[in-house]
Coordinates of all heavy atoms in Angstrom, one line a residue:
M1 N -221.7 -82.9 -97.3 CA -222.1 -83.6 -98.5 C -221.2 -83.3 -99.7 O -221.0 -82.2 -100.0 CB -223.6 -83.3 -98.8 CG -224.2 -83.8 -100.0 SD -225.9 -83.2 -100.4 CE -226.7 -83.9 -99.1
E2 N -220.8 -84.4 -100.4 CA -220.0 -84.2 -101.6 C -220.8 -83.6 -102.7 O -222.1 -83.8 -102.8 CB -219.4 -85.5 -102.1 CG -218.3 -86.0 -101.2 CD -217.1 -85.1 -101.1 OE1 -216.8 -84.6 -102.2 OE2 -216.6 -84.9 -100.0
F3 N -220.2 -82.8 -103.6 CA -220.9 -82.2 -104.7 C -221.8 -83.3 -105.6 O -222.9 -83.0 -106.0 CB -220.1 -81.3 -105.5 CG -220.7 -80.8 -106.7 CD1 -221.7 -79.8 -106.6 CD2 -220.5 -81.3 -108.1 CE1 -222.4 -79.3 -107.7 CE2 -221.2 -80.8 -109.1 CZ -222.1 -79.8 -108.9
E4 N -221.1 -84.3 -105.9 CA -221.7 -85.3 -106.8 C -223.0 -85.9 -106.2 O -224.0 -86.0 -106.9 CB -220.7 -86.5 -107.1 CG -219.5 -86.1 -107.9 CD -218.4 -85.4 -107.3 OE1 -218.4 -85.1 -106.0 OE2 -217.5 -84.8 -108.0
E5 N -223.0 -86.1 -104.9 CA -224.2 -86.6 -104.3 C -225.3 -85.5 -104.2 O -226.5 -85.7 -104.5 CB -223.9 -87.0 -102.8 CG -225.1 -87.4 -102.0 CD -224.8 -87.7 -100.5 OE1 -223.6 -87.5 -100.1 OE2 -225.7 -87.9 -99.8
F6 N -224.9 -84.2 -103.9 CA -225.8 -83.2 -103.9 C -226.4 -82.9 -105.4 O -227.6 -82.8 -105.5 CB -225.0 -81.8 -103.6 CG -225.8 -80.6 -103.6 CD1 -226.6 -80.2 -102.6 CD2 -225.6 -79.7 -104.7 CE1 -227.3 -79.0 -102.5 CE2 -226.3 -78.5 -104.7 CZ -227.2 -78.2 -103.6
F7 N -225.6 -83.0 -106.4 CA -226.1 -82.8 -107.7 C -227.0 -83.9 -108.1 O -228.1 -83.6 -108.6 CB -224.9 -82.8 -108.7 CG -225.2 -82.3 -110.1 CD1 -225.0 -81.0 -110.4 CD2 -225.7 -83.1 -111.0 CE1 -225.3 -80.5 -111.7 CE2 -225.9 -82.7 -112.3 CZ -225.7 -81.4 -112.6
R8 N -226.8 -85.1 -107.8 CA -227.6 -86.3 -108.1 C -228.9 -86.2 -107.4 O -229.9 -86.5 -108.0 CB -226.8 -87.5 -107.7 CG -227.4 -88.8 -108.4 CD -226.5 -90.1 -108.1 NE -225.1 -90.0 -108.3 CZ -224.5 -90.0 -109.5 NH1 -225.1 -90.0 -110.6 NH2 -223.2 -89.8 -109.6
K9 N -228.9 -85.7 -106.2 CA -230.2 -85.6 -105.4 C -231.0 -84.4 -106.1 O -232.2 -84.6 -106.1 CB -230.0 -85.2 -104.0 CG -229.5 -86.4 -103.1 CD -229.5 -86.0 -101.7 CE -229.1 -87.2 -100.9 NZ -229.2 -86.9 -99.5
A10 N -230.4 -83.4 -106.6 CA -231.2 -82.4 -107.2 C -231.6 -82.7 -108.6 O -232.7 -82.2 -109.0 CB -230.3 -81.1 -107.2
T11 N -231.0 -83.5 -109.3 CA -231.2 -83.7 -110.7 C -231.6 -85.1 -111.1 O -232.0 -85.3 -112.3 CB -230.0 -83.2 -111.7 OG1 -228.9 -84.0 -111.3 CG2 -229.7 -81.7 -111.5
Q19 N -218.7 -79.4 -114.3 CA -219.5 -78.9 -113.3 C -218.9 -79.2 -111.9 O -219.0 -78.3 -111.0 CB -221.0 -79.6 -113.4 CG -221.7 -79.1 -114.7 CD -222.9 -79.9 -114.9 OE1 -223.0 -81.1 -114.7 NE2 -223.9 -79.2 -115.4
A20 N -218.4 -80.4 -111.8 CA -217.8 -80.8 -110.6 C -216.5 -79.9 -110.3 O -216.3 -79.5 -109.1 CB -217.3 -82.2 -110.5
L22 N -216.1 -76.9 -111.3 CA -216.5 -75.6 -111.0 C -217.0 -75.5 -109.6 O -216.6 -74.5 -108.9 CB -217.7 -75.2 -111.9 CG -218.3 -73.9 -111.8 CD1 -217.3 -72.7 -112.2 CD2 -219.6 -73.8 -112.6
A23 N -217.6 -76.5 -109.1 CA -218.1 -76.5 -107.8 C -217.0 -76.5 -106.7 O -217.0 -75.9 -105.7 CB -219.0 -77.7 -107.5
K24 N -216.0 -77.2 -107.0 CA -214.9 -77.4 -106.1 C -213.7 -76.5 -106.2 O -212.8 -76.4 -105.3 CB -214.2 -78.9 -106.3 CG -215.4 -79.9 -105.9 CD -214.8 -81.3 -106.3 CE -216.0 -82.3 -106.0 NZ -215.5 -83.6 -106.3
A25 N -213.8 -75.6 -107.3 CA -212.7 -74.6 -107.4 C -212.7 -73.6 -106.3 O -213.7 -73.3 -105.7 CB -212.8 -74.0 -108.8
L28 N -214.1 -68.7 -108.9 CA -215.0 -68.9 -110.1 C -214.4 -68.3 -111.3 O -213.8 -67.2 -111.2 CB -216.3 -68.4 -109.8 CG -217.1 -69.1 -108.7 CD1 -218.4 -68.3 -108.5 CD2 -217.5 -70.5 -109.1
K40 N -225.2 -75.7 -118.4 CA -224.8 -74.4 -118.0 C -225.7 -73.9 -116.8 O -225.2 -73.4 -115.8 CB -224.8 -73.4 -119.0 CG -223.7 -73.6 -120.1 CD -223.6 -72.5 -121.1 CE -224.9 -72.5 -121.9 NZ -225.1 -73.6 -122.9
T41 N -227.0 -74.2 -117.0 CA -227.9 -73.7 -115.8 C -227.6 -74.4 -114.5 O -227.5 -73.8 -113.5 CB -229.4 -73.9 -116.3 OG1 -229.6 -73.2 -117.5 CG2 -230.3 -73.5 -115.2
E42 N -227.5 -75.8 -114.6 CA -227.1 -76.6 -113.4 C -225.8 -76.1 -112.8 O -225.5 -76.0 -111.7 CB -227.1 -78.1 -113.6 CG -228.4 -78.6 -113.9 CD -228.9 -78.7 -115.4 OE1 -228.2 -78.1 -116.2 OE2 -229.7 -79.5 -115.7
A43 N -224.8 -75.8 -113.7 CA -223.4 -75.4 -113.4 C -223.6 -74.1 -112.6 O -223.0 -74.0 -111.5 CB -222.5 -75.3 -114.6
A44 N -224.3 -73.2 -113.1 CA -224.4 -71.9 -112.4 C -225.1 -71.9 -111.1 O -224.7 -71.4 -110.1 CB -225.1 -70.9 -113.4
I45 N -226.3 -72.5 -111.1 CA -227.1 -72.7 -109.9 C -226.7 -73.6 -108.9 O -226.5 -73.2 -107.7 CB -228.6 -72.8 -110.3 CG1 -229.2 -71.7 -111.1 CG2 -229.4 -73.1 -109.0 CD1 -230.5 -71.9 -111.7
L46 N -226.5 -74.9 -109.3 CA -226.1 -75.9 -108.4 C -224.6 -75.9 -108.0 O -224.3 -76.0 -106.8 CB -226.5 -77.3 -108.9 CG -227.9 -77.5 -109.1 CD1 -228.1 -78.9 -109.7 CD2 -228.7 -77.4 -107.8
A47 N -223.8 -75.7 -108.9 CA -222.3 -75.7 -108.7 C -221.7 -74.5 -108.2 O -221.1 -74.5 -107.2 CB -221.6 -76.3 -109.9
A48 N -221.9 -73.5 -109.0 CA -221.3 -72.2 -108.8 C -221.9 -71.4 -107.6 O -221.2 -70.6 -107.0 CB -221.3 -71.3 -110.0
W49 N -223.1 -71.7 -107.3 CA -223.8 -70.9 -106.2 C -224.3 -71.7 -105.0 O -223.7 -71.6 -103.9 CB -224.9 -70.1 -106.8 CG -225.6 -69.2 -105.8 CD1 -225.0 -68.1 -105.2 CD2 -226.9 -69.3 -105.3 NE1 -225.9 -67.5 -104.3 CE2 -227.1 -68.3 -104.4 CE3 -228.0 -70.2 -105.6 CZ2 -228.3 -68.1 -103.7 CZ3 -229.1 -70.0 -105.0 CH2 -229.3 -68.9 -104.1
L50 N -225.3 -72.6 -105.2 CA -225.9 -73.2 -104.1 C -225.0 -74.2 -103.3 O -224.8 -74.1 -102.1 CB -227.1 -74.0 -104.6 CG -228.1 -74.5 -103.5 CD1 -228.5 -73.4 -102.6 CD2 -229.2 -75.2 -104.1
W51 N -224.3 -75.1 -104.0 CA -223.5 -76.1 -103.3 C -222.3 -75.3 -102.6 O -221.9 -75.6 -101.5 CB -222.9 -77.1 -104.2 CG -222.1 -78.2 -103.4 CD1 -222.6 -79.2 -102.7 CD2 -220.7 -78.2 -103.3 NE1 -221.6 -79.9 -102.2 CE2 -220.4 -79.4 -102.5 CE3 -219.7 -77.5 -103.8 CZ2 -219.1 -79.7 -102.2 CZ3 -218.4 -77.9 -103.6 CH2 -218.1 -79.0 -102.7
R52 N -221.7 -74.4 -103.3 CA -220.6 -73.6 -102.8 C -221.0 -72.8 -101.6 O -220.2 -72.7 -100.7 CB -220.0 -72.6 -103.9 CG -219.3 -73.4 -105.0 CD -218.9 -72.4 -106.1 NE -218.0 -71.4 -105.6 CZ -216.6 -71.6 -105.7 NH1 -216.1 -72.6 -106.3 NH2 -215.8 -70.6 -105.3
S53 N -222.2 -72.3 -101.6 CA -222.5 -71.5 -100.4 C -223.0 -72.3 -99.2 O -222.9 -71.9 -98.1 CB -223.6 -70.4 -100.7 OG -224.8 -71.1 -101.2
L54 N -223.4 -73.5 -99.5 CA -223.9 -74.4 -98.3 C -223.0 -75.4 -97.9 O -222.9 -75.8 -96.7 CB -225.3 -75.0 -98.7 CG -226.4 -74.0 -99.1 CD1 -227.7 -74.7 -99.5 CD2 -226.8 -73.1 -97.8
H55 N -222.3 -76.2 -98.9 CA -221.6 -77.4 -98.6 C -220.2 -77.4 -98.9 O -219.5 -78.5 -98.6 CB -222.3 -78.5 -99.2 CG -223.7 -78.7 -98.9 ND1 -224.1 -79.1 -97.7 CD2 -224.9 -78.5 -99.5 CE1 -225.5 -79.2 -97.6 NE2 -225.9 -78.8 -98.7
H56 N -219.6 -76.4 -99.5 CA -218.2 -76.4 -99.8 C -217.3 -76.7 -98.5 O -217.6 -76.0 -97.6 CB -217.7 -75.2 -100.5 CG -216.4 -75.3 -101.3 ND1 -215.2 -75.4 -100.6 CD2 -216.2 -75.5 -102.6 CE1 -214.2 -75.5 -101.4 NE2 -214.8 -75.6 -102.7
P57 N -216.3 -77.6 -98.6 CA -215.6 -78.0 -97.3 C -214.7 -76.8 -96.9 O -214.4 -76.8 -95.7 CB -214.8 -79.2 -97.8 CG -214.8 -79.2 -99.3 CD -216.0 -78.5 -99.8
D58 N -214.4 -75.9 -97.8 CA -213.5 -74.7 -97.4 C -214.4 -73.6 -96.9 O -215.2 -73.0 -97.7 CB -212.6 -74.4 -98.6 CG -211.7 -73.2 -98.1 OD1 -211.8 -72.5 -97.1 OD2 -210.7 -73.1 -99.0
S59 N -214.3 -73.2 -95.7 CA -215.2 -72.1 -95.1 C -215.0 -70.7 -95.8 O -215.9 -69.9 -95.9 CB -215.1 -72.0 -93.6 OG -213.7 -71.6 -93.4
V61 N -214.3 -70.4 -98.9 CA -215.1 -70.3 -100.2 C -216.6 -70.2 -100.0 O -217.2 -69.4 -100.6 CB -215.0 -71.8 -101.0 CG1 -215.9 -71.9 -102.2 CG2 -213.4 -71.9 -101.5
R62 N -217.1 -70.8 -98.9 CA -218.5 -70.6 -98.5 C -218.8 -69.1 -98.2 O -219.7 -68.6 -98.7 CB -218.8 -71.5 -97.3 CG -219.0 -72.9 -97.6 CD -219.7 -73.7 -96.5 NE -219.1 -73.4 -95.1 CZ -218.1 -74.2 -94.7 NH1 -217.6 -75.2 -95.3 NH2 -217.7 -73.9 -93.4
S63 N -217.9 -68.5 -97.5 CA -218.2 -67.1 -97.1 C -217.9 -66.2 -98.3 O -218.5 -65.1 -98.3 CB -217.3 -66.8 -95.9 OG -216.0 -66.8 -96.2
A64 N -217.1 -66.5 -99.3 CA -216.9 -65.7 -100.4 C -217.9 -65.9 -101.4 O -218.0 -64.9 -102.4 CB -215.5 -66.0 -101.0
T65 N -218.7 -66.8 -101.4 CA -219.9 -67.0 -102.4 C -221.0 -66.1 -102.1 O -221.4 -65.9 -100.9 CB -220.3 -68.5 -102.3 OG1 -219.3 -69.4 -102.5 CG2 -221.4 -68.7 -103.3
P66 N -221.4 -65.4 -103.1 CA -222.5 -64.4 -102.9 C -223.7 -65.0 -102.3 O -224.0 -66.1 -102.5 CB -222.8 -63.8 -104.3 CG -221.5 -64.2 -105.1 CD -221.0 -65.3 -104.5
R67 N -224.5 -64.2 -101.4 CA -225.6 -64.7 -100.8 C -226.8 -64.7 -101.7 O -227.7 -65.4 -101.4 CB -225.9 -63.7 -99.6 CG -224.9 -63.9 -98.5 CD -225.2 -63.0 -97.4 NE -226.6 -63.1 -96.9 CZ -227.3 -62.1 -96.3 NH1 -226.6 -60.9 -96.1 NH2 -228.5 -62.3 -95.9
R68 N -226.8 -64.0 -102.7 CA -228.0 -63.9 -103.7 C -227.5 -64.2 -105.1 O -226.4 -63.9 -105.5 CB -228.6 -62.6 -103.6 CG -229.3 -62.3 -102.3 CD -229.8 -60.8 -102.3 NE -230.6 -60.6 -101.1 CZ -229.9 -60.2 -100.0 NH1 -228.6 -60.0 -100.0 NH2 -230.6 -59.9 -98.9
L69 N -228.4 -64.8 -105.8 CA -228.2 -65.1 -107.2 C -229.3 -64.4 -108.1 O -230.5 -64.6 -107.8 CB -228.1 -66.6 -107.5 CG -228.0 -67.0 -108.9 CD1 -226.7 -66.7 -109.5 CD2 -228.4 -68.6 -109.1
A70 N -228.9 -63.6 -109.0 CA -229.8 -63.0 -109.9 C -229.8 -63.7 -111.2 O -228.7 -64.0 -111.8 CB -229.5 -61.5 -110.2
Y71 N -230.9 -64.3 -111.6 CA -230.9 -65.2 -112.8 C -231.9 -64.5 -113.8 O -233.1 -64.4 -113.6 CB -231.4 -66.5 -112.4 CG -231.2 -67.6 -113.5 CD1 -230.0 -68.2 -113.7 CD2 -232.2 -68.1 -114.3 CE1 -229.8 -69.1 -114.7 CE2 -232.0 -69.0 -115.2 CZ -230.8 -69.6 -115.4 OH -230.6 -70.5 -116.4

Side-chain angles (χ1 to χ4, degrees):
M1 173 183 299
E2 289 295 319
F3 174 70
E4 290 78 6
E5 178 187 358
F6 176 80
F7 193 95
R8 200 173 310 283
K9 283 185 177 187
T11 64
Q19 293 168 324
L22 180 67
K24 296 173 184 180
L28 293 173
K40 292 181 295 291
T41 302
E42 289 96 342
I45 296 172
L46 295 177
W49 182 65
L50 191 57
W51 185 80
R52 289 172 65 90
S53 64
L54 298 175
H55 299 290
H56 196 285
D58 186 342
S59 63
V61 172
R62 285 195 309 271
S63 63
T65 302
R67 292 180 49 208
R68 292 179 179 85
L69 174 70
Y71 193 78

